Amino acid sequence: MSTSTSALGETLVDAGSIRARIVEVAAEIDARYAGADQPVVLLCVLKGALIFSADLARQLSIPIEIDCITVRSYGPDTRSAGEVELVKGVTTELQGRDVLIVEDIVDTGHTAAFLQRNLVELGARSVRLVTLLDKTSRRARHVHIDWHCFRIPDRFVVGYGLDHGERYRNLVDVRAIDVV
Ligand code: IMP
């Protein structure tokens, strides 16, 4: 639980734009996996991608299975220092499977890089990444992002699954927050 105070700022991505963009991205994902010989494993990165995953999953027409993974990145409050730890792994056997990582945000890229490496080690046949938000200006390492919904500037954001000290995940819009 964060002890800092914070003030909600402007809306960077509103709920209507999120809905519309998910429809577009889901169509691209459907096209990419069309004709696959087995269901795609949609891997929700908890907790931030919970709401995005649920909405994306319901716009997909391809056969999917859903699993969740929990990771923790270390660093002061709103900044990731590059240390990523697996808190709870997947329960699905991933050997030979097509895995689509569903992220809330790619910031420094440490989490996405960690997951991509981890899933390849588990024997996945393909590992792709879709993220709701892409904060490119803070990238510390290269990660290949297959689909992003929105690029955002270097602001700390909350809502639509993203939190600050576990709060604000239930906001329908993505909003900037000034952390004091
Ligand atoms: P990374 O820096 O790309 O490894 O991102 C690590 C994690 O930090 C993300 O999955 C988010 O959970 C969290 N994070 C990064 N930027 C923000 C933000 O602006 N708001 C809320 N969480 C964030």
Side-chain angles (χ1 to χ4, degrees):
M1 184 74 175
S2 169
T3 52
S4 56
T5 57
S6 53
L8 273 180
E10 78 259 32
T11 296
L12 295 188
V13 192
D14 64 69
S17 303
I18 295 172
R19 264 196 307 278
R21 183 72 181 124
I22 288 177
V23 170
E24 290 176 357
V25 168
E28 290 177 19
I29 294 172
D30 275 343
R32 182 65 189 78
Y33 290 104
D37 57 355
Q38 56 183 338
V40 172
V41 180
L42 210 66
L43 189 60
C44 169
V45 185
L46 292 174
K47 302 173 194 170
L50 179 65
I51 293 173
F52 176 43
S53 297
D55 285 347
L56 177 67
R58 285 174 292 177
Q59 293 301 326
L60 291 171
S61 303
I62 49 165
I64 60 164
E65 294 175 17
I66 298 177
D67 206 336
C68 298
I69 193 166
T70 306
V71 291
R72 180 166 45 214
S73 51
Y74 292 102
D77 211 16
T78 61
R79 302 279 156 183
S80 163
E83 296 295 321
V84 183
E85 182 197 32
L86 187 64
V87 177
K88 185 186 163 298
V90 295
T91 54
T92 309
E93 169 60 61
L94 294 182
Q95 186 74 40
R97 302 298 301 272
D98 295 314
V99 180
L100 178 58
I101 302 168
V102 185
E103 271 272 33
D104 53 351
I105 186 166
V106 179
D107 184 20
T108 62
H110 291 304
T111 304
F114 171 86
L115 287 171
Q116 287 171 336
R117 193 179 59 243
N118 199 262
L119 295 166
V120 167
E121 281 170 10
L122 288 175
R125 173 169 79 176
S126 69
V127 179
R128 295 193 175 89
L129 171 67
V130 57
T131 185
L132 176 74
L133 304 172
D134 184 0
K135 216 191 272 184
T136 48
S137 57
R138 293 211 347 112
R139 198 74 86 249
R141 55 189 302 172
H142 174 76
V143 280
H144 179 73
I145 298 176
D146 294 277
W147 296 276
H148 68 267
C149 294
F150 302 96
R151 287 216 164 96
I152 60 162
D154 184 10
R155 301 286 301 277
F156 197 81
V157 293
V158 294
Y160 198 73
L162 292 104
D163 77 308
H164 177 245
E166 291 302 327
R167 285 196 57 201
Y168 308 114
R169 293 192 196 274
N170 58 326
L171 295 178
V172 297
D173 304 313
V174 172
R175 295 182 62 175
I177 189 165
D178 298 316
V179 179
V180 184

